[in-house]
């Protein structure tokens, strides 16, 4: 090679390092002008340069202009197409090659293996064997082992293993490492160990692979023993242990390994930081997470997008969304992982509106969402019960093709269920090509929230018939459905099967469902017996559920017991005071009501104010009881007066049990008429066009009177009214509610 060609090759290398396609093209022009007979070696370098810079058209153009391409020229353009996934072009070049060597065969096998043509890769490998074993090398076997490992084709891997031994490659560490990985991924740890321990020599790479395999299969003690016995350990060895311990639920031990790594004086890279921050987030170790954050700043890793994203995720999981936000805003470079971490963080911490905002901002910055990001923002819309935004993201999922991903489809099924559009939710579910446990649980939960007991139970039984394993969330849905339908015996059977048949240990939500199951059926004594037999005391929601049923059934004795237990558990919880006050008020014991109210005032306990909101023309209108802040107040109150008159004519009887003030009956009726949900419904009747449902969201549970009144309103106005309260959905239509009489 002459000095000029050597000089041009050096310049081409600089073009690759600076990612400058413009400079490469200028240099190409200069080569054409200054060299009459360009050396093939230089042209081969030019092909590689254009490939690295992403211009395959120019790479092929250069190849086609080579007067006498050598084997290296053919292999270069073949590798260009192989690495780019241009399989038809790769095949065309391969068929035209006058001569082939191991590099040629490996390029073709790798191209098919990396871009989803498993069968063609295997066929190419068989043809290579027919062509003669002289072309076989360690890269061939490594590629085939990775293929069998990634595709989960263990039988193929075993055949390759046999040929490795036949052709004498079994002592090569480069081949043995993917062999160990293949067996461990398939769960064949004994075979992986046998390959490892039969090696005459082992380097740090094969040690790391074996440690990874042991951790992958939950063999933590064996992995630690092997890790400690390693003759040398690099940063990958330590990161492997940290990651594996975290994945096995041993986050504290992972943090301990990081401390050891630092004492060894090893450099910590982005992957180590990512793993240890995942460990901190997993156990809400905010203190340790902050310490690692400080170390990241000191070691100048904060600018790394991978590390920044891991910090955002860690702070989000530790419920410190402000810190996550600060890290995110200070990141000089953001990728899809960073934006997704922030969007998911907002959603996990109850900031669903911010999650939607950050998603929109991400797209404005030119970053297209993947299935995980889109699924997350749709979930945030579901939490907001925001059907309009959710429907827009549904459209985006259809246009982008991301709806084919199960994460997106599951999120949409959940969205429509939570927004009260059960028909759309079920239709999406039916259209899904693949359904998993999450898909079924989303639909089961949707029907359960609507109080549609028979449909919920039918879906659950159908899920079991498809050999899918329900999880704890699924059982919450089916148990609550049994509760609303008064199916005590069936609910008890499901609860028992959850523990004994599916191995799911109950959490407080399951116990609350069972308390509600007995209580709703009027079996308060059975509910008390169940509570006394529980391995732990109910949480605040469980006690409030039982206390609420005592109030409805007027059982003062059990109500007092539940209220005392709730007060002991959460002294500042207003539920015990409010529910007991309601019980005393129903029996006309106003002195007791006054005593409870004084107790609340003296202890600084305040009842959460009830409010309802309704969306109209992209704006949310919020109402509280007796609210006159709306510019449409006069119209709203006039509408309520008309409705109340018609309701009374239809037989509506105001339920004043929720009024905790000793005032005249006329005043009580007035107070009932001005509840927040009634104001929101009246607003909807005025502004939402006929034919469209009126959707109202309430932060507290709908009171019994409003529940009855809304039935009458739906009948009088012939409108469909959907109310989502803190517990469930209520679809009012033609004078009935979807939850029946089980308010």
């Amino acid at each position: 090679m002459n000095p000029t060609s050597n000089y041009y090759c050096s310049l081409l290398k600089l073009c690759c390092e600076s990612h400058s396609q413009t400079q490469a093209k200028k240099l190409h022009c200069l080569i054409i002008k200054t060299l009459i007979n360009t050396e093939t070696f230089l042209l081969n370098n030019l092909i590689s340069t254009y490939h690295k810079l992403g211009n395959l058209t120019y790479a092929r153009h250069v190849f086609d202009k080579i007067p006498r391409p050598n084997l290296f020229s053919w292999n270069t353009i073949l590798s260009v197409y192989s690495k780019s996934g241009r399989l038809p072009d790769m095949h065309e070049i391969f068929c035209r090659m006058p001569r082939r060597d191991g590099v040629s065969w490996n390029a073709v096998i790798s191209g098919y293996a990396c871009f989803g043509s498993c069968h063609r890769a295997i066929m190419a490998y068989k043809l290579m064997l027919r062509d003669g074993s002289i072309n076989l090398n360690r890269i061939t076997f490594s590629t085939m082992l990775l293929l069998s490992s990634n595709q989960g084709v263990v039988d193929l891997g075993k055949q390759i293993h046999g040929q490795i031994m036949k052709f004498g490659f079994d002592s090569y560490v480069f081949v043995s490492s993917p062999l160990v990985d293949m067996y461990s991924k398939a769960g064949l740890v004994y075979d992986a160990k046998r390959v490892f321990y039969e090696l005459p020599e082992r380097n740090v790479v094969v040690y790391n692979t074996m440690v990874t395999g042991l951790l992958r299969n939950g063999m933590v003690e064996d992995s630690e023993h092997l890790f400690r016995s390693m003759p040398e350990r690099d940063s990958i060895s330590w990161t492997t242990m940290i990651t594996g311990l975290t994945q096995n639920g041993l986050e504290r031990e992972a943090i301990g390994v990081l401390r050891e790594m630092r004492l060894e004086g090893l450099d910590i890279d982005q992957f180590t930081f990512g793993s240890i921050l995942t460990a901190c987030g997993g156990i809400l170790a905010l203190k340790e997470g902050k310490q690692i954050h400080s170390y990241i700043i000191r070691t100048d890793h904060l600018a790394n997008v991978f590390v920044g994203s891991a910090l955002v995720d860690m702070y989000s999981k530790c419920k410190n969304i402000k810190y996550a936000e600060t890290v995110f805003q200070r990141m000089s470079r953001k990728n899809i992982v960073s934006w997704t971490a922030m969007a998911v963080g907002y959603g996990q911490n109850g900031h669903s509106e911010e999650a939607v905002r950050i998603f929109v901002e991400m797209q404005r910055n030119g970053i297209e969402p993947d299935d995980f990001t889109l699924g997350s923002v749709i979930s945030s819309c579901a939490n907001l019960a925001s059907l309009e935004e959710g429907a827009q993201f549904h459209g985006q999922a259809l246009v982008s093709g991301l709806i084919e991903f199960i994460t997106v489809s599951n999120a949409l099924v959940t969205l429509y269920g939570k927004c009260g559009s059960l028909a759309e939710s079920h239709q999406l579910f039916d259209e899904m090509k693949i359904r998993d446990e999450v898909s079924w649980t989303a639909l089961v939960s949707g029907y359960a929230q609507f109080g549609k007991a028979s449909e919920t139970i039918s879906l659950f039984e159908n899920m079991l018939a498809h050999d899918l394993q329900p999880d704890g969330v699924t059982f919450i849905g089916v148990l609550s459905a049994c509760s609303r339908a008064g199916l005590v015996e069936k609910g008890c059977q499901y609860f028992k099967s959850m523990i004994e048949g599916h191995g799911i240990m109950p959490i407080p939500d399951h116990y609350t469902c069972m308390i509600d199951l007995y209580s709703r059926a009027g079996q308060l004594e059975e509910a008390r017996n169940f509570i006394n037999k529980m391995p732990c005391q109910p949480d605040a929601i469980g006690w409030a559920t039982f206390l609420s049923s005592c109030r409805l059934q007027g059982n003062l004795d059990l109500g007092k017991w539940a209220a005392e237990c709730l007060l002991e558990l959460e002294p500042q919880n207003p539920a015990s005071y409010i529910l007991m006050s309601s019980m005393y008020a129903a029996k006309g014991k106003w002195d007791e009501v006054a005593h409870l109210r004084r107790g609340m005032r003296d202890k600084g306990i305040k009842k959460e104010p009830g409010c309802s909101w309704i969306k109209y023309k992209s704006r949310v209108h919020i109402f509280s009881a007796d609210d006159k802040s709306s510019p449409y107040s006069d119209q709203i109150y006039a509408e309520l007066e008309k409705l109340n008159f018609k309701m009374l004519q239809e037989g509506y009887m105001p339920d004043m049990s929720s009024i905790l003030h000793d005032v005249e009956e006329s005043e009580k009726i007035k107070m009932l008429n001005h509840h927040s949900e009634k104001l929101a419904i009246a607003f909807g009747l005025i502004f939402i066009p006929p034919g469209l449902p009126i959707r109202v969201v309430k932060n507290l549970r709908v009171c019994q009177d409003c529940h009855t009144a809304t039935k009458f309103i739906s009948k009088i106005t012939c409108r469909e009214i959907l109310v989502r309260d803190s517990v469930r959905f209520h679809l009012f239509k033609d004078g009935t509610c979807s939850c029946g009489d089980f308010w």
Side-chain angles (χ1 to χ4, degrees):
M1 182 175 67
N2 66 47
T4 306
S5 293
N6 190 31
Y7 174 68
Y8 281 137
C9 286
S10 300
L11 293 177
L12 287 171
K13 186 178 179 182
L14 290 173
C15 291
C16 290
E17 291 173 357
S18 62
H19 305 288
S20 177
Q21 191 172 143
T22 303
Q23 291 300 322
K25 287 179 179 178
K26 288 179 180 178
L27 190 57
H28 187 185
C29 291
L30 190 61
I31 290 169
I32 294 169
K33 287 179 181 178
T34 57
L35 297 178
I36 298 171
N37 295 313
T38 310
E39 289 186 82
T40 303
F41 178 83
L42 177 56
L43 293 173
N44 291 341
N45 270 271
L46 197 53
I47 294 169
S48 296
T49 298
Y50 278 127
H51 169 234
K52 289 173 183 175
L53 295 173
N55 195 327
L56 303 191
T57 303
Y58 271 54
R60 179 60 184 266
H61 177 74
V62 173
F63 173 78
D64 289 338
K65 293 295 182 182
I66 299 175
R68 289 178 299 279
N70 57 21
L71 181 59
F72 191 86
S73 309
W74 286 99
N75 283 340
T76 301
I77 192 65
L78 187 69
S79 296
V80 165
Y81 288 133
S82 170
K83 291 174 182 176
S84 304
R86 296 269 291 269
L87 302 186
D89 293 310
M90 179 190 76
H91 180 74
E92 178 251 334
I93 289 290
F94 185 73
C95 291
R96 283 177 52 197
M97 290 179 72
R99 188 166 64 88
R100 303 173 185 128
D101 62 1
V103 175
S104 319
W105 286 103
N106 287 337
V108 170
I109 293 169
S110 178
Y112 284 132
C114 293
F115 292 94
S117 294
C118 177
H119 176 69
R120 290 186 177 181
I122 296 169
M123 290 299 297
Y125 174 71
K126 289 179 179 178
L127 289 171
M128 184 181 185
L129 289 176
R130 288 181 195 171
D131 201 43
S133 61
I134 191 171
N135 289 324
L136 288 170
N137 57 37
R138 58 195 186 121
I139 295 173
T140 315
F141 290 119
S142 177
T143 303
M144 291 304 295
L145 287 170
L146 286 171
L147 171 67
S148 59
S149 178
N150 293 336
Q151 296 292 325
V153 189
V154 183
D155 289 341
L156 172 64
K158 288 180 177 179
Q159 291 174 26
I160 301 298
H161 187 184
Q163 288 164 354
I164 286 168
M165 297 180 72
K166 176 183 176 181
F167 294 112
F169 284 87
D170 50 317
S171 61
Y172 284 72
V173 174
F174 186 86
V175 173
S176 297
S177 185
L179 194 55
V180 169
D181 184 63
M182 186 271 296
Y183 278 125
S184 65
K185 277 184 177 176
L188 303 172
V189 186
Y190 174 78
D191 296 291
K193 280 184 173 182
R194 190 178 65 179
V195 172
F196 176 79
Y197 286 110
E198 287 178 356
L199 279 171
E201 291 183 14
R202 307 180 195 100
N203 64 7
V204 69
V205 175
V206 76
Y207 266 102
N208 290 343
T209 306
M210 190 68 245
V211 169
T212 302
L214 292 169
L215 287 165
R216 184 186 288 126
N217 287 276
M219 301 172 71
V220 177
E221 288 186 14
D222 289 357
S223 68
E224 286 181 321
H225 176 74
L226 184 61
F227 176 75
R228 301 296 174 190
S229 67
M230 288 174 68
E232 63 169 318
R233 295 188 286 260
D234 59 10
S235 60
I236 296 173
S237 315
W238 291 91
T239 303
T240 296
M241 279 305 298
I242 291 168
T243 305
L245 289 168
T246 302
Q247 290 171 344
N248 281 278
L250 299 168
E251 290 89 350
R252 281 288 169 198
E253 289 80 353
I255 294 170
V257 170
L258 178 76
R259 292 193 181 104
E260 283 187 68
M261 183 180 178
R262 288 186 61 190
L263 291 172
E264 291 279 331
L266 288 167
D267 290 333
I268 299 177
D269 61 14
Q270 58 174 339
F271 303 107
T272 318
F273 282 127
S275 296
I276 199 63
L277 288 169
T278 299
C280 292
I283 55 171
L284 309 183
L286 183 59
K287 180 183 175 183
E288 289 83 351
K290 285 182 176 179
Q291 291 171 351
I292 292 163
H293 188 179
S294 300
Y295 188 68
I296 287 167
I297 294 170
R298 291 200 305 272
T299 54
D300 293 325
H301 279 88
L302 196 58
N304 185 287
V305 67
F306 183 84
V307 175
S309 303
L311 277 169
V312 171
D313 181 64
M314 183 274 295
Y315 280 124
S316 297
K317 286 177 178 172
C318 290
K319 307 300 180 186
N320 198 322
I321 197 67
K322 287 296 178 186
Y323 274 42
E325 206 171 39
T326 302
V327 171
F328 180 78
Q329 288 171 351
R330 291 180 180 176
M331 289 176 70
S332 56
R333 189 167 67 89
K334 303 180 182 79
N335 61 10
I336 183 68
V337 179
S338 324
W339 288 95
T340 301
M342 193 67 251
V344 172
Y346 278 130
Q348 288 173 341
N349 286 273
H351 299 278
S352 297
E353 290 182 3
E354 289 299 307
V356 175
R357 180 191 62 78
I358 208 77
F359 180 85
V360 173
E361 190 179 331
M362 178 189 80
Q363 290 185 294
R364 285 177 185 156
N365 278 268
I367 297 176
E368 288 302 314
D370 58 12
D371 60 302
F372 186 65
T373 321
L374 187 57
S376 299
V377 76
I378 291 171
S379 296
S380 294
C381 291
N383 293 333
L384 286 169
S386 181
L387 187 60
E388 290 179 24
E389 283 88 349
Q392 290 174 11
F393 292 129
H394 184 184
Q396 185 171 346
L398 288 167
V399 172
S400 64
L402 291 174
I403 197 166
E404 296 297 324
F405 289 87
I406 198 166
T407 48
V408 176
S409 295
N410 286 344
L412 284 167
V413 172
T414 304
L415 165 79
Y416 285 110
K418 284 190 173 182
C419 291
S421 300
L422 274 183
E424 288 84 350
S425 180
H426 208 138
Q427 182 181 341
L428 269 166
F429 176 84
D430 289 338
E431 290 171 355
M432 290 174 69
K433 294 176 183 176
I434 300 172
R435 305 184 192 103
D436 60 6
E437 290 84 353
V438 178
S439 320
W440 285 90
T441 297
L443 198 61
V444 166
S445 300
Y447 275 99
Q449 276 193 314
F450 256 96
K452 292 185 176 292
S454 60
E455 292 91 337
T456 304
I457 293 167
S458 175
L459 275 169
F460 179 74
E461 293 292 349
N462 203 1
M463 178 182 180
L464 296 178
H466 280 79
D467 293 326
L468 291 169
Q469 285 297 320
D471 61 11
V473 178
T474 325
F475 274 102
I476 289 171
V478 76
L479 288 173
S480 62
C482 290
S483 173
R484 295 197 190 115
L487 302 172
V488 178
E489 187 177 343
K490 198 170 190 65
C492 290
Q493 289 173 359
Y494 282 136
F495 184 75
K496 184 179 179 182
S497 73
M498 179 183 79
I499 302 168
E500 297 178 1
H502 299 278
I504 299 170
M505 294 308 296
I507 61 172
D509 286 345
H510 297 119
Y511 288 119
T512 299
C513 285
M514 291 302 293
I515 293 168
D516 192 49
L517 177 73
Y518 287 116
S519 302
R520 276 179 178 271
Q523 300 178 18
L524 293 178
E525 284 296 336
E526 286 81 354
R528 180 170 68 170
N529 292 336
F530 178 82
I531 291 170
N532 289 331
K533 290 177 183 177
M534 284 170 55
C536 57
Q537 286 290 297
D539 62 6
I541 299 173
W543 283 119
T545 299
F546 183 62
L547 179 53
S548 179
S549 292
C550 292
R551 179 186 71 83
L552 287 171
Q553 296 174 44
N555 193 319
L556 267 176
D557 292 335
L558 289 180
K560 285 179 182 178
W561 173 64
E564 288 168 2
C565 292
L566 179 55
L567 279 172
E568 186 178 342
L569 183 66
E570 290 188 4
Q572 294 299 115
N573 192 327
S576 55
Y577 290 94
I578 301 301
L579 290 168
M580 282 305 297
S581 295
S582 180
M583 290 176 73
Y584 284 128
K587 294 185 179 295
K589 297 186 176 184
W590 297 108
D591 290 342
E592 297 290 346
V593 173
H595 175 72
L596 286 168
R597 292 176 69 85
R598 279 195 302 272
M600 286 182 69
R601 187 175 59 250
D602 294 343
K603 294 175 183 177
I605 300 170
K606 293 183 179 179
K607 176 183 179 292
E608 181 184 0
C611 62
S612 302
W613 55 94
I614 184 170
K615 198 167 188 178
Y616 174 63
K617 288 189 175 179
S618 300
R619 185 184 164 194
V620 176
H621 299 262
I622 303 173
F623 299 92
S624 57
D626 293 313
D627 194 348
K628 290 191 170 72
S629 61
S630 171
Y632 310 104
S633 287
D634 290 343
Q635 292 172 262
I636 291 168
Y637 280 94
E639 181 72 19
L640 279 177
E641 285 298 320
K642 288 192 292 183
L643 283 172
N644 195 51
F645 177 75
K646 291 179 181 177
M647 284 159 56
L648 291 170
Q649 286 184 321
E650 289 287 333
Y652 161 68
M653 295 290 292
D655 183 343
M656 289 171 280
S657 61
S658 61
I659 303 297
L660 307 182
H661 299 276
D662 187 14
V663 294
E664 294 294 330
E665 188 169 304
S666 59
E667 187 62 27
K668 288 183 179 181
I669 292 173
K670 184 180 177 182
M671 293 168 72
L672 283 175
N673 286 345
H674 299 165
H675 276 192
S676 65
E677 54 266 57
K678 289 180 180 174
L679 296 174
I681 290 168
F683 176 91
L685 289 170
I686 295 167
F687 294 103
I688 305 294
L692 294 178
I694 296 167
R695 299 175 181 272
V696 174
V697 181
K698 183 175 171 63
N699 65 329
L700 302 177
R701 193 172 177 182
V702 171
C703 76
Q704 198 162 4
D705 177 74
C706 286
H707 189 267
T708 303
T710 311
K711 286 183 183 180
F712 279 96
I713 294 171
S714 69
K715 182 181 178 182
I716 293 165
T717 61
C718 298
R719 297 292 295 268
E720 190 175 294
I721 303 169
L722 181 70
V723 179
R724 178 184 174 183
D725 67 11
S726 61
V727 179
R728 69 181 66 87
F729 278 104
H730 305 268
L731 178 60
F732 299 93
K733 188 177 181 181
D734 300 325
T736 62
C737 178
S738 58
C739 65
D741 295 325
F742 286 93
W743 164 81

